[in-house]
Structures are given as structure tokens and as C-alpha cells.
Amino acid sequence: MKMKRAVGTVTAAALMAALVAGCGSTSPSSGDSGSAASGDSGKPVTLELFQYSPEMADAMHQLADQYHKEHPNVTINVTINQDNYYPLLKTKINSGNTPDIFMTGAYNDNTTYQDYSYDLTNEPFMKNIVDTAKTGVTLNGKILGYPLILQSYSFIYNKKLFAQAGITELPKTFSELDAAAKKLQDKGITPFANAYKEWWVMEQTMTPIMASMGGNYQQEFADINSGKKKPSDIKEFSNIFPLLDLTLKYSNPKPLETDFNSSVALFAQGKAAILHNGSWAEDSIRKIDPNMDIGYLPHPMGEDASKAGLMVDSNIVYRINKDSKNLKEVLKFFDWLTTSDYGKKFVPNVVKQISTIKDAPFPDAQLAKETNEYLKNGKTYPWVKGYYPDGYETQAGQILQQYAGQVLNKEQAAAQLDSTWAKLACRGQIIDSHTHSARMRSASG
């Protein structure tokens, strides 16, 4: 993600309100292909789709199989990578092997990938996407990505284990979370299933704390990007370390060797009571225990209970390679994904998350329903990592892994978080300057 944000953050409540209107409830069916043509008999085409989010692997392969069934000449080759996704994506782009379809975040990634993204503004199927979801993929009036999902995250908890430990009120502060964790531990229950092998879990532990500052995010992060401030100058920044300390104090063994799938297994098998993750994890949990009663804790942000809330945003974006040799087939696929009966039901009923399509059904998923309740009656925050410089979320996660492994102390980790931000923001400014100059030269002939 790059250093300037061209658009404001859409309010999650407005997005949800638009999505809930007209929701249905049936399962995906291959019987109706909407406005997309089915049974194509053209020459064989292979579309390369590159993305992160490994929890979507089964769903994506099912989607590819269904599309091939309806369009026999088209094969979608789905490649999923999590650990090194962005470096690999940039390597592909720089070597001239940009995938036909690739996944990024929203907001500042519009700037990072604008030179490689097809402009979807005038594509008819985009009329089926709720307008508020388009905000995060719009740059200078152009829609540069396809927003797929509305997601949420915080601490997911096992309601049965909380009841067994006698926890009757959800913790909203670090002190209350510590007390709840101790009650769990006293009952022989491991409090946290920490997947700290994953840099992105570390980043997602940090980002809510950054969001808790509230106010004018765009101005605050602009001041950091310009060098007027450092991340550590934000008052709430210091809460990152006691939160990590607390989760490590009551952790599963070897958290830095525990990945997403292992942490989900610990949680879903009832071996740990709390999992720091999001709505995307529910399907993986249900595959192990279909009947587990789960919910979200309002994410504690420090000792101010009024700041506890849920992180909600639309930040899973597909971008279409504007120079793809298969551009027409890619656009046909997205038309099908947006307008066909199967496509509309894919996200809510297969991925089990909240779709951005206007008349898509609402998922029968516990965390999606809790997200809706938070949006109606609770406190929510945007995913402010959209303001981070390109590459910062990965490197910040890696720095915090070193802190968790006691390679760095708090002061050293804070200093590295500051210096890494400054370095990446400066590099972003240089790249922006060079790109602008190149565009000006091209425009002048």
C-alpha cells in the first residue's frame, strides 16, 4: 500500500445497510447464469488468478470448476499464496508475467497498482455492486478493482468455554481480558490460540490499536508519511505491546510456530477459547465443529472500555490486468460472478461471508450476523492499514514477530516500526515522483 489515500473510508454501517436490502437465502445453483453466456464453445483459454486468503482455497477451486462447467473452453488456474504474496506479485508484474486476475487490498493499493489495473467504471456488471463498496476501489473517479467481500475481525471466542469458566461479561479492556484469560486458565483451558507464525495475524493485532485513535485518520497518517510525526507519537501506539504480552502470557505452546490452520484447529477442537481472527475463519471452524457457538469480543484497545469495538471494512479486492491477452474472457467471468445465480450466492453461501453484490443473499454465518449487530448497535473501526506505506503491513508484522520471540525488546521494536515506516514512506514518495514524471513525458509525446 502506498502513502496517499485518494478517497475517504466508507462507513461500514452504510455499506451494510445497502447490502442487507433485498437479501435472499437460497443456496448456489448452476441452473441460472444471469446475463453471462453459458456453454461457450470458443478456443481454449486459461485465466491465471493469483491471490492470498488460503481459507478461500476450497471455495475458489469450486468456483473455477463451476465456471468451467458452464464455460467449457475456459479454465481458471487458481494459485494461492499467503506468506510471500506481495513480493511474488511484484516479481510477476516486474517480469512481465502479471496474472489475468490478482488480489490486493483496497484504498492505497489503488495507487500502488493503478498502472496495471483495468478501469471497470463503465462495465455494466459494476452497477450490481453497492455504491458504498466502490469507494475503496475508486481513484481519481476510476473504479480500479472489484470489491468482493465485507469482512470483520477481532477476538473470536468460544461461548461454551467462556460459560464453563464463569465469564458472564465480555471483556472490553486489557485488565478485563487478562482476568477472563486467568479464569479460563484456572479451569484448565488454554485462553489463546495464537497464530504468530503468520505476519498478517501480528499486523491485525496492531492495526486495531492504531484505529482506536479515531479522529481524522487521513490527516494523522499524512502527518506520519510526511515525517511530521512518527507512529510512536500516536498516544495509542504504546498499547500494542501490552496486548501482545497478554496474549503471549496465556498462549498456546510455540505460538511463533503456529500457522492459521493450526490455530483454527486448536480453537475449533475446543483446545483454546480465543482466536484473534476474522469472519473469513468461520468456514474453517465449521468444517471441524459445525455446531460450535462462537462470537466476537469487542476488541479491547487499552483501559478505556468505550473504545472496544469491531474492525469492519471491504478490503478483499480483485484487480484485472489491463494488458491481459484474455481481457474479454476475464470480463465475461466477472460479469458471470456478479449477475449469475451461482455467482451472486458464491460469497454468502460458499465463502460464508458478506457479499458486496446488491441482491446477494445474506450468509447464514454466526460472525456475519454478529457483524451486523455491531454495525447496528456497537462500535466499529475501518481497517486503517489502508493508510500504511506500501509494504509496511508485512514488515510491521515481521517486527512484531521478533518482539514476540524476544529478539527485540519494546523500545527496539517501536524504533524499528518508526524507522521502517519512514523508509517506506520516503520510497513511496520517490516512486510517485518518478511515475508522475513518466506520465507527463508520455502525455507530452
Side-chain angles (χ1 to χ4, degrees):
M1 296 181 186
K2 230 165 170 72
M3 54 156 249
K4 290 180 290 190
R5 189 171 186 178
V7 295
T9 302
V10 59
T11 62
L15 176 55
M16 179 65 75
L19 290 169
V20 171
C23 285
S25 61
T26 55
S27 299
S29 164
S30 60
D32 175 16
S33 296
S35 64
S38 61
D40 291 354
S41 58
K43 64 180 181 179
V45 174
T46 298
L47 304 182
E48 295 294 335
L49 190 157
F50 187 49
Q51 71 167 75
Y52 47 88
S53 292
E55 72 282 355
M56 291 175 63
D58 290 345
M60 292 308 300
H61 289 298
Q62 181 177 326
L63 179 72
D65 289 345
Q66 182 63 37
Y67 192 73
H68 181 67
K69 180 180 177 181
E70 297 187 31
H71 304 78
N73 66 307
V74 181
T75 299
I76 301 177
N77 183 25
V78 178
T79 303
I80 298 178
N81 179 282
Q82 183 70 39
D83 292 340
N84 301 306
Y85 177 78
Y86 278 106
L88 285 173
L89 174 60
K90 290 174 182 177
T91 297
K92 288 176 180 290
I93 290 173
N94 291 334
S95 63
N97 295 310
T98 306
D100 299 294
I101 305 163
F102 58 96
M103 181 179 283
T104 74
Y107 299 112
N108 282 1
D109 272 4
N110 295 323
T111 302
T112 303
Y113 297 101
Q114 63 180 313
D115 291 334
Y116 315 102
S117 301
Y118 178 78
D119 180 2
L120 292 166
T121 306
N122 295 319
E123 293 302 319
F125 60 81
M126 290 303 293
K127 295 177 182 178
N128 294 70
I129 302 295
V130 295
D131 289 340
T132 43
K134 298 174 188 173
T135 304
V137 293
T138 300
L139 178 68
N140 298 328
K142 296 181 179 180
I143 299 173
L144 297 181
Y146 184 96
L148 185 70
I149 298 171
L150 179 70
Q151 294 184 312
S152 56
Y153 73 88
S154 181
F155 288 102
I156 306 169
Y157 74 104
N158 182 324
K159 294 184 179 182
K160 180 181 177 180
L161 295 183
F162 265 52
Q164 287 179 8
I167 302 168
T168 58
E169 188 171 341
L170 298 184
K172 295 182 179 180
T173 68
F174 290 173
S175 297
E176 292 172 0
L177 185 60
D178 189 289
K182 188 175 188 308
K183 285 184 178 181
L184 290 162
Q185 190 177 68
D186 289 346
K187 289 290 185 178
I189 302 166
T190 299
F192 293 97
N194 292 320
Y196 288 166
K197 183 178 180 180
E198 309 279 12
W199 61 263
W200 57 271
V201 174
M202 304 299 288
E203 173 268 312
Q204 288 185 351
T205 307
M206 167 187 170
T207 295
I209 302 300
M210 300 293 280
S212 70
M213 68 177 169
N216 187 334
Y217 293 121
Q218 187 166 2
Q219 185 59 55
E220 286 288 341
F221 286 108
D223 287 345
I224 297 173
N225 285 325
S226 68
K228 292 179 181 178
K229 291 183 178 179
K230 304 186 297 294
S232 61
D233 290 332
I234 297 173
K235 180 180 64 174
E236 291 77 8
F237 177 91
S238 61
N239 288 330
I240 295 167
F241 301 105
L243 177 60
L244 287 174
D245 292 344
L246 195 163
T247 63
L248 290 165
K249 178 181 176 182
Y250 298 103
S251 180
N252 55 293
K254 300 182 179 180
L256 286 166
E257 298 177 24
T258 304
D259 62 10
F260 169 80
N261 290 327
S262 299
S263 68
V264 167
L266 287 171
F267 180 78
Q269 292 166 4
K271 295 179 180 179
I274 307 170
L275 176 70
H276 196 286
N277 230 286
S279 52
W280 56 88
E282 181 164 356
D283 189 48
S284 298
I285 294 168
R286 298 292 176 208
K287 288 176 181 176
I288 299 172
D289 185 349
N291 301 312
M292 177 174 274
D293 193 7
I294 59 176
Y296 276 131
L297 298 181
H299 199 297
M301 304 296 189
E303 294 304 327
D304 184 349
S306 70
K307 288 192 172 186
L310 186 67
M311 303 294 289
V312 185
D313 216 330
S314 178
N315 198 52
I316 293 290
V317 175
Y318 282 128
R319 299 189 189 272
I320 297 172
N321 174 10
K322 69 179 182 64
D323 297 318
S324 169
K325 64 181 181 181
N326 302 311
L327 183 59
K328 289 184 179 180
E329 290 293 343
V330 175
L331 293 173
K332 285 182 183 178
F333 166 69
F334 277 98
D335 179 86
W336 174 86
L337 181 62
T338 312
T339 63
S340 73
D341 184 65
Y342 184 93
K344 290 176 184 177
K345 296 168 185 172
F346 170 68
V347 168
N349 293 356
V350 182
V351 183
K352 306 293 178 61
Q353 296 193 57
I354 303 170
S355 174
T356 59
I357 298 172
K358 287 179 179 178
D359 53 351
F362 198 79
D364 183 21
Q366 208 165 358
L367 295 181
K369 292 173 182 176
E370 290 222 355
T371 300
N372 196 20
E373 286 302 311
Y374 271 90
L375 288 166
K376 290 178 180 177
N377 305 309
K379 189 175 186 66
T380 62
Y381 293 96
W383 293 16
V384 296
K385 68 177 185 177
Y387 292 104
Y388 297 172
D390 185 28
Y392 186 75
E393 59 179 303
T394 303
Q395 294 192 35
Q398 292 167 346
I399 292 166
L400 293 175
Q401 284 174 325
Q402 293 182 68
Y403 173 78
Q406 299 183 334
V407 176
L408 300 174
N409 62 30
K410 179 175 69 174
E411 291 74 23
Q412 290 169 329
Q416 286 203 19
L417 289 169
D418 282 344
S419 62
T420 299
W421 188 301
K423 177 181 68 177
L424 293 174
C426 181
R427 185 177 71 185
Q429 290 172 340
I430 293 171
I431 292 172
D432 279 350
S433 176
H434 288 172
T435 301
H436 176 72
S437 297
R439 289 190 185 122
M440 292 297 290
R441 287 195 298 273
S442 175
S444 63

